[in-house]
Amino acid sequence: MITVPANATLDTPQEAPAEPSTALDEAPAVLVLADGTVLRGVACGARGRVCGEVVFNTGMTGYQEVLTDPSYAGQLITFTYPELGNTGVNGEDLEADQAHARGCIVRQLAPRPSSWRCEETLDHWLSRQGVVGIRGVDTRALVRHLREGGSINGAIASDGTDPATLLREVLATPSMDGLNLAARVSTREPYTWNRTCTAPFDSRLQPGPVSPYRVVAIDFGIKRAILERLVAHGCAVTVLPADASLEQVLALEPEGVFLSNGPGDPAAVREGITLARDLLEQPQLPVFGICLGHQILGLALGGRSFKLGYGHRGLNHPCGSPGSVEITSQNHGFALNPDSLPAERVRITHRNLNDHTVAALELRHQPVFGIQYHPEASPGPHDADHHFARFAALMAERR
Ligand SMILES: NC(=O)CC[C@H](N)C(=O)O
């Protein structure tokens, strides 16, 4: 029997701090594709209606990194992982200052996130970011449809717009292909970057150089994780806008130049292709391109790009070179035509083992290489992080 002394004052129980509201929107929403397909669901994120290319990502983690990756600018992303938002949203796992995806299509939104890093619910963050979402969609059926018919334009509406009206809007919306989307997401002003990720995950890192390698990164939609990995591998980075000229780059006396990832059709990034062509005239200047940067290198070499059926967007894509396989993080809708690359200058070093498309290339006689996949991961496996060390080694050799 517990007795409480008469003079004891039992504090009145403090009101538990109000949990952030996790009540989900129950308003109807609809997804319409350009081929007339209609999928009904429930609103989440921002209310409204958006049009864009409907793509899918098969990753089981990393929804926050994907939604903020500028490479997804203008796209409506379907997540095949059946429940999203499990760990909420935090202020660190961002690849840019804002979400760049326009829409989010999910099977189920976790009603109550659970993570010590959670700062707000995904639903609330999507709403603040202006990303129009739809949940309760049969994402398996949708992804099978996209795989069979290819990526396609579509629209999400949670503002009561009827499917027929929405279809007319989709059909009236021009394709993004052929547009220079990199120019829209690139920085307007140069800036420097010297932070690495808070938890360097690569214990194999060699001690950095006495003075960091001077790297100029061209921002076609650069992911923050790439900047962090360059710094982790001993670089001090100056980021220039997508339309930087050779003179602006060389004025910074770079030891290496990085061509970044980014959205849209690589053939439309004309200033970037011109710059890459000029950089290739500097025979001893190390150049490293990732994803869009890799494609721009290939185009600058006289190669041609083409659009994949439904793209590669996920975290488990095997890419191989003789004797080795890397499990890679991928997000691209275009690829380089291997037969269009000049074999006397270019060696294709890696292929995507799912469909044999070009996954990486290097120049035979210059310190230049391109990676179609994402060695910075974020999200995804870290198998390919060594490509950053390879870039650093090319600069170290020239010191
Ligand atoms: N992540 C990227 O850099 C994407 C490159 C290009 N926009 C593509 O879709 O292929």
Side-chain angles (χ1 to χ4, degrees):
M1 160 82 159
I2 295 174
T3 57
V4 177
N7 62 348
T9 54
L10 291 179
D11 287 340
T12 49
Q14 294 299 315
E15 281 298 308
E19 289 275 309
S21 158
T22 56
L24 293 176
D25 198 337
E26 292 302 334
V30 66
L31 167 67
V32 170
L33 303 182
D35 63 2
T37 304
V38 178
L39 293 105
R40 296 184 183 282
V42 180
C44 63
R47 282 288 194 90
R49 68 179 186 276
V50 286
C51 283
E53 182 182 16
V54 181
V55 299
F56 63 88
N57 184 299
T58 58
M60 294 176 70
T61 63
Y63 53 81
Q64 195 177 329
E65 293 88 332
V66 168
L67 288 160
T68 53
D69 176 351
S71 307
Y72 284 96
Q75 292 179 324
L76 313 184
I77 308 174
T78 309
F79 289 88
T80 59
Y81 190 68
E83 185 172 70
L84 224 61
N86 316 59
T87 54
V89 167
N90 63 62
E92 288 176 82
D93 298 345
L94 301 164
E95 294 304 325
D97 291 335
Q98 64 180 75
H100 280 274
R102 259 197 204 139
C104 181
I105 303 163
V106 299
R107 180 80 190 90
Q108 180 164 314
L109 212 52
R112 186 173 298 281
S114 169
S115 163
W116 61 277
R117 300 178 69 214
C118 175
E119 296 171 23
E120 72 182 298
T121 66
L122 176 60
D123 184 43
H124 188 255
W125 181 81
L126 288 170
S127 180
R128 279 197 312 113
Q129 292 288 328
V131 178
V132 177
I134 180 171
R135 63 189 175 90
V137 168
D138 182 346
T139 45
R140 290 171 62 89
L142 173 58
V143 169
R144 285 186 59 175
H145 186 75
L146 295 174
R147 280 176 60 97
E148 283 154 14
S151 297
I152 189 171
N153 271 4
I156 301 170
S158 56
D159 60 358
T161 304
D162 66 276
T165 304
L166 206 53
L167 177 57
R168 284 194 296 274
E169 287 189 7
V170 171
L171 296 174
T173 304
S175 162
M176 297 282 220
D177 295 351
L179 299 181
N180 183 353
L181 301 186
R184 299 183 186 181
V185 300
S186 178
T187 180
R188 295 283 174 266
E189 297 298 327
Y191 62 92
T192 56
W193 187 279
N194 53 20
R195 298 198 306 272
T196 185
C197 53
T198 48
F201 50 72
D202 186 343
S203 57
R204 294 161 297 168
L205 275 185
Q206 305 301 320
V210 173
S211 64
Y213 302 114
R214 293 186 310 283
V215 168
V216 170
I218 309 300
D219 176 8
F220 300 118
I222 198 164
K223 287 172 68 181
R224 198 157 285 169
I226 288 177
L227 292 168
E228 291 173 347
R229 295 315 297 156
L230 286 169
V231 170
H233 283 270
C235 305
V237 188
T238 301
V239 183
L240 294 184
D243 60 358
S245 67
L246 178 67
E247 292 68 29
Q248 289 167 323
V249 172
L250 297 185
L252 294 164
E253 298 179 341
E255 295 180 78
V257 178
F258 177 76
L259 304 177
S260 90
N261 65 294
D265 183 345
V269 192
R270 290 186 181 76
E271 294 100 339
I273 296 166
T274 301
L275 173 63
R277 208 171 281 135
D278 293 342
L279 290 169
L280 292 174
E281 298 297 314
Q282 314 287 321
Q284 281 309 309
L285 178 61
V287 179
F288 173 20
I290 287 180
C291 213
L292 182 64
H294 154 87
Q295 295 164 348
I296 285 172
L297 270 178
L299 293 166
L301 286 157
R304 288 188 308 280
S305 57
F306 66 97
K307 187 154 191 187
L308 296 165
Y310 46 82
H312 299 160
R313 294 179 184 88
L315 312 182
N316 63 349
H317 291 249
C319 288
S321 58
S324 88
V325 176
E326 303 180 314
I327 302 302
T328 69
S329 176
Q330 305 219 353
N331 161 32
H332 63 110
F334 293 84
L336 290 173
N337 174 335
D339 302 330
S340 68
L341 295 166
E344 71 282 1
R345 286 189 77 185
V346 180
R347 178 185 297 118
I348 295 171
T349 57
H350 293 69
R351 295 272 183 163
N352 184 305
L353 300 184
N354 288 336
D355 63 4
H356 214 55
T357 49
V358 175
L361 60 81
E362 66 182 8
L363 291 198
R364 294 179 188 279
H365 310 299
Q366 286 179 249
V368 176
F369 68 106
I371 306 289
Q372 179 65 76
Y373 46 93
H374 285 270
E376 79 285 356
S378 198
H382 303 148
D383 294 24
D385 188 73
H386 63 86
H387 290 296
F388 290 99
R390 182 179 166 201
F391 183 43
L394 289 173
M395 292 186 280
E397 286 162 18
R398 284 156 182 79
R399 277 196 159 176

